[in-house]
Amino acid sequence: MLKTKNIMAVFAVFALVMLAGEVLIYAAPYSYDSDVVRTSDGLEYSVDSPISADYNIVALDNGDRVRIDRVYMYYDAGYPSINPIGEQGDFIKILEDESAIRGLSSMYRADADGILKVINDVSIDPRSVAVLMCSGSFPEVLYDGTEDSPILRWLGDGGTLIWIGGPMGSCYSDRDHMMEAEAGYEELFFGEGTGGSIRDDSELFIASSGQKVNPIDEALSIVMNDATYGVNTSVLDRVGLRYLPMGYISDSGFRCSAMIEVPGGSGMIMLFGTNLNQFYTEAVAQSIAAGLNYESELVGHQEGSLGSGKTVGDMRVPSDTNLTVYLYLEKVRLIYARTFSI
Amino acid sequence: MLSFKNPLIKILLIGFIIRLVVGVFITYVIDIDYWIQISANVDAGMDLYEGTGYYYTPVWGYYVGFMTRIGNLFGIDMGYIFTDMIFSEEIQYRIITVPSVVYAMLIKVPLMLCDLVAGALIYYLIKRVTDNERKALIGCAIWIFCPLVIYVSSVQGMFDTIMVVFMLISLILLIEGKYFFAGAALSLAVFIKLFPILLVPVFVAYVLLKNKGNNKEMLMNLLKSVSGFVVAMLVVMLPTILTDSVSRSFSFFTTRMDSASSISSLADVFSYSTMTYLSPIIVVVCIVLAYYLYKSKRRNKEAALMTVCMFSLSLMFVLPALTQYYLIVVPFLAYFITTSESRYSRALLIVFTILIMLRFAQSNSMLLFSFFASMGWDISNLILISHSFEMNCYSLVLDLEVLFKVAIVAILALFAFKMNKRRLSNAED
């Protein structure tokens, strides 16, 4: 029944299917296009998608803060750190991928000296730059547990620190040793009376109350329940700091994440109080791409399904504010996102 | 003519129906979650290695890419994300991606068809080597109804079966003297999952053996095989070369090598750390086996080829092997059961079946996530059962698995000893 020519035919079929996949992926990849424009009573959006997907249009009033246009990601094997350097590398790689899908191209890796150079460069507007730390501890050249630390000065000048994977400010290191900051180090970042506001117990701590007060989370499909290094927002309330709560909150008052104003200046700390888990790269990328800050407010959200081809729609939003519109498509995972300032 | 009265067609048809039924109801969600990630990357317009989640050489990614594009024509749902358990402090993986049954079948049905093609190829190969229809049918049935084979394609959605198809095509074309295409098929098998690279010295030895006494022919045919291998390799790898992602395409292998640090406990002997130490030894043994083939005086060169192929591939089982890796030797076991050494082959098949049972135990309620979720049912209790098992029995099952994997190596060693004795006595042919 079977002959050599049948075998060759089977081989040809398998090889052709493989080739078809190769060509489709590398020579004819999907491409998307989208646009959002303001109209007299709201906004009009258009999405050109080659496939059917679920869509979300999120309109945010991000206040007066300058949108971050560059992120420097700290990665330096020359300093001891709480999180292993391999895990940091994996996290950063995935974050780069997640950011690329969202149209964020200005993500750069930098070592401690590189970061120091950026934050000391007077020609760079600190308000447009973020420094991301996923090491769990600071290199001493940036932070040494004192108020004279360069990173604190830079935050006071309007810079943004994105922190994930450790108790922020608790540890720093020179090239050989890890050192602990004195208790109450939180006050260096959040001001007087905020000591003890960050959890520093490394045992996994799940925020399990189910209370989720921020509708922006929902609109951006951000899910966070790990509050191991979370922040006690009631302390921030007490000292009158503005912040945008993110993720769930524990019964003891620790929030997984928050975008927190730096006192006495225009800086911001995007604190992700989770462990360094690859799952949270989506939350970090989504927050950066949507331009979230402590002033952010949700002013409109529309979701639904769209078919392949061009889809046009409109949405009512307040006409008197500067808006950031974040548009994203999902098919279980996010496959496309773009941000528009209108 | 294809006819349902034809016993081969009957075997393949029954095998396909079993797979369809099994495939719809039970799905091992962990691996298919990675295929969802590849599909999502393809949907995002990224190449295989731009996004996260694909760590193999590119061939399987091309197939998933193709199936993704086909699925998009019909607008299928890839799956669901469950956040129901997010408040439970007990559950390790609080967010669970569950593939839809439709997506799982989009991936699994082509793999089931590969099983059938491999079954037909085994039939052809055994018939070609033994010239016995009955043996060929039994060999085909062993593959088609082997629980390991059914599990890997129809439950797990793993792609080892495509590797087996290309390996068998390569073997048949080698025997038929189609050297260029044999080399090309072997190359595709290698760039699906690297393991068939152990066959390269064997194939070289066989080409030399077949053309012994005619140096010009020997060189020409060797060149044809090598050209086929290289051409197919270039076709497969060209995009990764152009996009500077060659190293990422081998990360499935290299990350396991990187994780090798030192052997500090007995458990480490069966961990990936052994790869670093054993890999060079395996290469040397493969070359020695190939040399044995070249020096073989057996009249039935194909039978000698099958023996050496089986033992060359078996060498990888001294390294830590996941259950699906054993699929690669099942066609050879089918051959040996129907021809000569049925005792050891049967023992191996039984151990493989036990390993699959352990796999079922290990996965337990997780196997139903996909079906339940697709029906819109609550999977919270299934998640709790799965988690409870993981907390209480997982390490015990893993220990049992190690025991059976050691048993596989022991049976293979006995098998090799027996075959070597037979070869020396040159009694069979």
Side-chain angles (χ1 to χ4, degrees), chain A residues 278-299:
Chain A
Q278 296 177 3
F279 176 74
Y280 296 114
T281 51
E282 290 178 31
V284 175
Q286 197 82 326
S287 303
I288 298 171
L292 295 187
N293 66 62
Y294 49 81
E295 295 179 357
S296 295
E297 280 179 34
L298 182 71
V299 293

Side-chain angles (χ1 to χ4, degrees), chain B residues 277-338:
Chain B
Y277 307 99
L278 287 176
S279 296
I281 300 170
I282 288 174
V283 172
V284 171
V285 177
C286 271
I287 293 168
V288 171
L289 282 168
Y291 180 74
Y292 264 77
L293 175 65
Y294 177 66
K295 286 288 176 190
S296 169
K297 291 189 170 52
R298 290 172 72 164
R299 285 188 301 278
N300 189 343
K301 294 181 176 57
E302 288 73 37
L305 174 67
M306 294 293 278
T307 309
V308 176
C309 280
M310 152 108 176
F311 286 108
S312 294
L313 292 172
S314 301
L315 286 171
M316 71 183 205
F317 301 141
V318 298
L319 299 173
L322 296 175
T323 310
Q324 66 267 23
Y325 297 176
Y326 296 104
L327 205 69
I328 201 167
V329 295
V330 176
F332 300 98
L333 295 181
Y335 166 77
F336 283 115
I337 287 174
T338 54

Side-chain angles (χ1 to χ4, degrees), chain A residues 65-71 124-130 158-160:
Chain A
R65 267 192 73 81
V66 175
R67 188 161 181 254
I68 293 163
D69 61 18
R70 266 173 295 173
V71 178
I124 300 174
D125 180 359
R127 295 171 305 166
S128 64
V129 174
T160 297

Side-chain angles (χ1 to χ4, degrees), chain B residues 17-32:
Chain B
I17 291 167
I18 291 172
R19 281 166 173 75
L20 281 178
V21 174
V22 168
V24 167
F25 289 103
I26 51 179
T27 297
Y28 182 71
V29 296
I30 306 285
D31 291 308
I32 294 187

Side-chain angles (χ1 to χ4, degrees), chain B residues 54-348:
Chain B
Y54 190 60
Y55 308 105
Y56 293 99
T57 37
V59 178
W60 170 240
Y62 297 153
Y63 282 109
V64 175
F66 181 79
M67 295 315 297
T68 303
R69 298 287 282 254
I70 297 287
N72 284 338
L73 294 177
F74 301 98
I76 68 154
D77 275 335
M78 283 201 273
Y80 319 92
I81 290 188
F82 278 86
T83 54
D84 304 23
M85 308 302 289
I86 197 157
F87 303 116
S88 169
E89 295 196 38
E90 293 169 5
I91 305 294
Q92 196 181 350
Y93 303 105
R94 289 159 298 277
I95 316 295
I96 296 170
T97 311
V98 178
S100 68
V101 167
V102 180
Y103 179 81
M105 291 304 275
L106 181 77
I107 295 294
K108 290 197 278 189
V109 168
L111 298 175
M112 294 171 189
L113 294 173
C114 284
D115 279 357
L116 306 190
V117 171
L121 292 171
I122 290 166
Y123 165 86
Y124 179 87
L125 190 62
I126 295 178
K127 196 168 175 209
R128 172 75 172 75
V129 177
T130 64
D131 198 24
N132 185 317
E133 171 86 16
R134 193 171 163 272
K135 286 180 178 177
L137 283 171
I138 293 172
C140 171
I142 287 170
W143 165 268
I144 291 291
F145 300 117
C146 175
L148 174 72
V149 179
I150 296 172
Y151 179 88
V152 172
S153 61
S154 311
V155 177
Q156 199 179 4
M158 273 305 274
F159 53 90
D160 297 59
T161 183
I162 308 182
M163 171 186 70
V164 170
V165 167
F166 278 120
M167 183 189 72
L168 289 169
I169 289 174
S170 165
L171 202 55
I172 291 168
L173 294 179
L174 181 74
I175 291 169
E176 302 283 357
K178 307 277 183 203
Y179 296 109
F180 180 85
F181 292 106
L186 181 65
S187 183
L188 294 183
V190 167
F191 286 100
I192 289 175
K193 223 177 195 181
L194 284 184
F195 302 140
I197 204 158
L198 296 172
L199 292 181
V200 169
V202 183
F203 276 40
V204 171
Y206 185 77
V207 176
L208 299 181
L209 175 67
K210 280 278 271 192
N211 299 282
K212 234 177 200 174
N214 186 343
N215 287 349
K216 195 181 163 195
E217 195 81 353
M218 186 189 279
L219 193 65
M220 277 305 294
N221 290 333
L222 204 54
L223 263 177
K224 280 183 196 168
S225 313
V226 173
S227 327
F229 191 95
V230 172
V231 167
M233 181 182 77
L234 285 176
V235 169
V236 167
M237 296 300 289
L238 192 63
T240 56
I241 295 166
L242 294 176
T243 55
D244 197 23
S245 46
V246 174
S247 63
R248 285 196 77 189
S249 71
F250 287 96
S251 55
F252 148 74
F253 193 68
T254 51
T255 50
R256 282 161 165 79
M257 291 290 270
D258 286 347
S259 68
S261 48
S262 61
I263 298 177
S264 57
S265 71
L266 187 62
D268 288 341
V269 174
F270 300 102
S271 75
Y272 291 109
S273 60
T274 51
M275 273 184 169
T276 315
Y277 307 99
L278 287 176
S279 296
I281 300 170
I282 288 174
V283 172
V284 171
V285 177
C286 271
I287 293 168
V288 171
L289 282 168
Y291 180 74
Y292 264 77
L293 175 65
Y294 177 66
K295 286 288 176 190
S296 169
K297 291 189 170 52
R298 290 172 72 164
R299 285 188 301 278
N300 189 343
K301 294 181 176 57
E302 288 73 37
L305 174 67
M306 294 293 278
T307 309
V308 176
C309 280
M310 152 108 176
F311 286 108
S312 294
L313 292 172
S314 301
L315 286 171
M316 71 183 205
F317 301 141
V318 298
L319 299 173
L322 296 175
T323 310
Q324 66 267 23
Y325 297 176
Y326 296 104
L327 205 69
I328 201 167
V329 295
V330 176
F332 300 98
L333 295 181
Y335 166 77
F336 283 115
I337 287 174
T338 54
T339 55
S340 51
E341 287 303 328
S342 62
R343 196 157 43 125
Y344 297 104
S345 306
R346 277 184 196 144
L348 281 170

